[in-house]
Amino acid sequence: MTDTGTAIRDEDRRATGSELAEYDPTSTQLLGEQGRTRITGTVVAKIAGHAAREVPGVWAIGEVPPEPTGTPRGAVRAVEPGVAVEVGEQETTVDLEIVTRYGESIVDVSDAVRQHVIDRVREMTGLTVSEVNITVDDVHVDGMDLDMDVVDAA
């Protein structure tokens, strides 16, 4: 595997005398010996969403609110349906909202999703994933289109 370099913000490089374009808060930038690579939050969110869908037991990705509380200062929010990320200089956090299949262990599925997302984002971007926060908001029952909490046997 080749070295992807270290993510360094442009404003940090300007302080050391390197001349580069103005800092773009919507992406992180990996600087290598032969150039730089910008990775936007949207890219990280897509990778995380696809990785979550690859895990057995995940039926769908839900919706994540666009502005969560506690967003770190300077972090970037990139949202695609059911996935939100905060991209920092060298690390990222991921928020996922998923629907699991009925009969699957929610704990096992969540653990598998968390590890797979961490691995895929690190493999594809070089970023460290500090957190993967998962909300399971529904359980899909094959053959039923109704939410489990709406059906009442009484």
Side-chain angles (χ1 to χ4, degrees):
M1 189 167 163
T2 59
D3 182 19
T4 57
T6 303
I8 303 173
R9 294 188 326 185
D10 288 348
E11 64 189 31
D12 295 337
R13 260 186 247 108
R14 278 196 299 273
T16 64
S18 296
E19 291 191 27
L20 293 171
E22 196 166 318
Y23 174 62
D24 177 2
T26 63
S27 66
T28 192
Q29 193 165 157
L30 301 175
L31 180 63
E33 291 180 21
Q34 297 178 322
R36 64 181 181 233
T37 303
R38 288 186 195 264
I39 301 173
T40 66
T42 301
V43 169
V44 175
K46 284 185 178 185
I47 292 167
H50 284 287
R53 288 179 187 94
E54 291 173 343
V55 175
V58 174
W59 186 76
I61 304 294
E63 293 292 326
V64 175
E67 293 298 328
T69 58
T71 301
R73 185 180 170 137
V76 175
R77 233 21 219 175
V79 180
E80 91 164 25
V83 185
V85 300
E86 297 165 357
V87 180
E89 294 176 30
Q90 298 180 9
E91 62 183 27
T92 186
T93 61
V94 178
D95 295 333
L96 293 168
E97 191 164 305
I98 66 173
V99 177
T100 61
R101 293 184 182 278
Y102 178 78
E104 298 283 341
S105 166
I106 292 172
V107 173
D108 291 347
V109 171
S110 296
D111 288 345
V113 166
R114 185 172 287 109
Q115 191 58 56
H116 194 59
V117 167
I118 289 169
D119 292 344
R120 294 298 254 171
V121 170
R122 183 180 48 228
E123 289 168 4
M124 295 181 73
T125 68
L127 293 169
T128 300
V129 181
S130 58
E131 289 182 0
V132 177
N133 302 305
I134 299 171
T135 300
V136 179
D137 71 344
D138 202 356
V139 175
H140 175 74
V141 179
D142 288 335
M144 294 185 68
D145 291 332
L146 299 175
D147 288 341
M148 292 297 291
D149 58 351
V150 175
V151 178
D152 188 350

